[in-house]
Amino acid sequence: MTEPWAPSDAPPGARWLPQARIGFESRNARWWWLGAGGAVIVAVGVAMAVWGMFPVDLHGPTHEAGIMAPTCGLTRSVVAVFRGDISMAWRYNPAGLLVAVVAVAALTRLLVGVFVRRGPVLRVRPGRIGWMVLVLALVALEIRQQGQAELLMTAGLR
């Protein structure tokens, strides 16, 4: 698949606006990285949903002090998704829903690519507005996660 946005044919406001293109491409040297990552997330998420969370606490000192990061609760959120408890996943971290959906989609693309030798490709250029929205979303997630500090400081899934 060729690069859809050449600088010479870009409209004047293209640097500001988000753009997305979907297409198909055959396998290349990197096609399986995203699928392999999705497979790992799905496998570990399902394993933890069945057998429970790992008994290792990987939190840093800021977490123990009550300062939450935007990624706090992400693992428990993904595990809750694979358990089918969407409301608990949302409570732990709304980004966990996105991670689980993207992981399953990446794994699906990997499997389709293995058998069909082609797969869908989504190319996104966020543009300046897209980057600003992403930063604002991360700030909002940080504020939201800080409001969930009491829940996030408890051990394991409820």
Side-chain angles (χ1 to χ4, degrees):
M1 183 173 183
T2 61
E3 184 63 34
W5 299 285
S8 61
D9 65 352
R15 291 186 180 186
W16 284 93
L17 299 175
Q19 299 174 2
R21 301 260 199 263
I22 190 162
F24 288 87
E25 74 177 19
S26 58
R27 295 190 313 192
N28 59 38
R30 300 169 301 196
W31 75 274
W32 57 274
W33 278 100
L34 182 62
V40 168
I41 290 171
V42 170
V44 172
V46 168
M48 285 195 284
V50 172
W51 293 298
M53 300 287 287
F54 294 132
V56 179
D57 184 11
L58 299 175
H59 295 111
T62 57
H63 180 84
E64 302 304 327
I67 301 171
M68 302 296 118
T71 56
C72 283
L74 195 57
T75 302
R76 289 183 276 184
S77 178
V78 171
V79 171
V81 169
F82 287 119
R83 285 186 178 169
D85 191 352
I86 303 302
S87 64
M88 184 55 76
W90 183 268
R91 284 185 63 206
Y92 277 122
N93 193 329
L97 299 167
L98 179 64
V99 169
V101 167
V102 169
V104 169
L107 177 59
T108 303
R109 186 206 185 275
L110 173 71
L111 295 175
V112 167
V114 165
F115 294 110
V116 180
R117 307 242 188 260
R118 288 175 48 114
V121 176
L122 175 65
R123 302 225 188 260
V124 177
R125 289 211 173 179
R128 292 178 181 159
I129 291 174
W131 285 115
M132 288 186 265
V133 168
L134 179 63
V135 168
L136 290 174
L138 284 173
V139 169
L141 182 60
E142 168 67 29
I143 293 168
R144 185 215 180 265
Q145 292 304 94
Q146 193 59 47
Q148 298 288 334
E150 186 176 330
L151 171 68
L152 296 173
M153 292 180 74
T154 60
L157 283 173
R158 292 183 180 179

